Amino acid sequence: MRAVVFHGPGDLRYEEVPWPTPGRGEIVVRIEAALTCGTDVKTLRRGHPVMIPRVPTVFGHELAGSVSAVGAGVTNVREGDRVAAANSAPCGECRSCGHGRPNLCEDLLFVNGAYGEAIALPARLVRRNVVHLSRRVQAARAAFAEPLACALGGIERARLESGQTVVIFGHGPLGCLLGLVAASRNARVILVGKAGWRLEQVKQLKIAECVDATATPDPVQALRAMTGGRGAEITIDATGRPEVWEQAIATAGRGGTVVFFGGCAPGTTVSLDTRRVHYEELSLVGAFHHTPDLIRRAVESLETSALNPDGLLTHRMGLEGVRPALDLMARGEAMKVLIEP
Ligand SMILES: [Zn+2]
Ligand SMILES: [Zn+2]
């Protein structure tokens, strides 16, 4: 089959690889839709020891399609079923899994290979993190299951209540998905981004009030002014930049919650105003990845259109378009690119 294979940082090749066959407990999914992701851009630049422990591997991790072959012993999926699959599966046995936090599984199994004509999904993933799709939902929409599950998890960590104000730093696809989820829960959503093609795109989607951080010398001051001087009940970083983590803390009001959703480069640190964290009882929480439950909830929201992220698909290409698509993403000239093998 044709596939886009990651051989190491900067080395992505469009090549011919063997068509996958399912081993025991495995299934093969013929990919109908794959989506580009900011993580792909980061991984292509510097590699990813957790998500991609071995190279070469077929790249890409957001997908939906139909089952073309089923291995021995598989009982929950049949040939012809339409499915969305997460890009990981927890072990179900470690301490974190036992405590109901499978996103923190000590043995999370990651799966890559959305940018190919087909993918073999390992037995553990088939058992825990493959979700059936109804006939009516389009594959392109269903492929949002994984990033949307991350956004649902982030909003869950924020303990968002109706009527609260949420400030989201970052106007990439995940900042937008977080905004969509928050807006669907009747929050006032303010999205902070930087001037450019993407911010114009986001404004047109009307997900949130948009603030251009480059148009004001002091974004924190501007955001405090927009929230009656008090700051927001909830702030979320979706940029993965330490200086923005600090802005997120500074923008939260008394008793507020700050969600660190964007992962920063290894070794980075931030400084904290200890007085505020203590006397204003700020809650500082991390948010990482997703759980099988969040994946199921994401698929359900997509199928019912309770959440509709279609507007984030700004381009559509074939497999040969993956490299140019990721270049567009890196330049901030695409939100999400739909790849149809
Ligand atoms: Zn992703
Ligand atoms: Zn586990």
Side-chain angles (χ1 to χ4, degrees):
M1 66 168 187
R2 295 169 305 127
V4 177
V5 181
F6 179 74
H7 286 262
D11 189 359
L12 201 59
R13 302 180 205 167
Y14 179 47
E15 56 192 32
E16 198 69 27
V17 301
W19 192 273
T21 49
R24 190 174 174 78
E26 299 182 345
I27 62 173
V28 171
V29 174
R30 184 182 270 278
I31 311 264
E32 287 168 17
L35 303 181
T36 59
C37 168
T39 305
D40 295 339
V41 177
K42 225 161 58 172
T43 303
L44 182 55
R45 200 175 293 147
R46 64 184 187 210
H48 202 303
V50 179
M51 276 176 71
I52 304 193
R54 277 183 313 277
V55 291
T57 180
V58 181
F59 210 42
H61 62 269
E62 300 178 5
L63 67 100
S66 56
V67 178
S68 64
V70 171
V74 174
T75 53
N76 58 331
V77 185
R78 279 189 296 196
E79 211 179 299
D81 286 354
R82 298 182 73 230
V83 294
N87 61 334
S88 69
C91 74
E93 280 150 31
C94 71
R95 242 183 125 75
S96 299
C97 284
H99 284 109
R101 301 184 76 177
N103 57 318
L104 304 182
C105 174
E106 290 155 29
D107 182 28
L108 210 49
L109 170 71
F110 279 94
V111 175
N112 295 283
Y115 301 147
E117 289 180 84
I119 182 173
L121 299 177
R124 193 205 278 181
L125 190 82
V126 174
R127 279 199 311 277
R128 302 193 207 280
N129 243 345
V130 168
V131 185
H132 285 91
L133 301 174
S134 71
R135 287 285 151 198
R136 65 179 187 277
V137 67
Q138 290 200 353
R141 165 93 64 96
F144 274 97
E146 193 270 334
L148 183 60
C150 294
L152 288 169
I155 296 299
E156 192 146 291
R157 294 285 286 158
R159 296 174 173 275
L160 172 68
E161 288 170 25
S162 169
Q164 290 186 322
T165 298
V166 187
V167 173
I168 299 164
F169 293 84
H171 61 305
L174 270 158
C176 292
L177 288 174
L178 285 160
L180 265 184
V181 176
S184 76
R185 313 233 172 131
N186 302 314
R188 175 188 177 200
V189 186
I190 302 173
L191 211 53
V192 187
K194 288 181 177 173
W197 183 88
R198 268 189 176 177
L199 193 61
E200 290 313 308
Q201 201 69 24
V202 175
K203 282 179 185 164
Q204 281 170 31
L205 292 175
K206 301 199 190 316
I207 297 167
E209 298 166 51
C210 291
V211 170
D212 174 6
T214 59
T216 156
D218 187 348
V220 171
Q221 193 61 40
L223 290 161
R224 285 204 158 251
M226 287 175 77
T227 49
R230 289 184 306 275
E233 280 103 344
I234 293 160
T235 64
I236 304 177
D237 170 76
T239 69
R241 304 177 71 90
E243 64 276 19
V244 182
W245 277 36
E246 290 180 350
Q247 291 178 355
I249 299 168
T251 305
R254 294 173 72 79
T257 298
V258 184
V259 180
F260 302 117
F261 184 89
C264 298
T268 48
T269 56
V270 297
S271 65
L272 276 181
D273 180 344
T274 54
R275 185 197 60 79
R276 285 201 63 224
V277 175
H278 175 74
Y279 291 103
E280 299 186 15
E281 283 200 340
L282 299 185
S283 300
L284 308 180
V285 301
F288 171 68
H289 208 54
H290 47 66
T291 64
D293 179 53
L294 289 167
I295 292 284
R296 277 162 184 76
R297 279 161 50 196
V299 169
E300 196 182 292
S301 308
L302 292 164
E303 287 197 328
T304 60
S305 291
L307 294 167
N308 178 354
D310 295 352
L312 297 177
L313 290 175
T314 54
H315 300 71
R316 165 193 291 243
M317 299 184 188
L319 279 175
E320 70 290 345
V322 168
R323 183 65 204 239
L326 295 178
D327 291 341
L328 279 178
M329 299 276 293
R331 292 200 303 271
E333 291 168 11
M335 289 299 278
K336 264 181 155 352
V337 181
L338 169 60
I339 304 293
E340 293 172 309

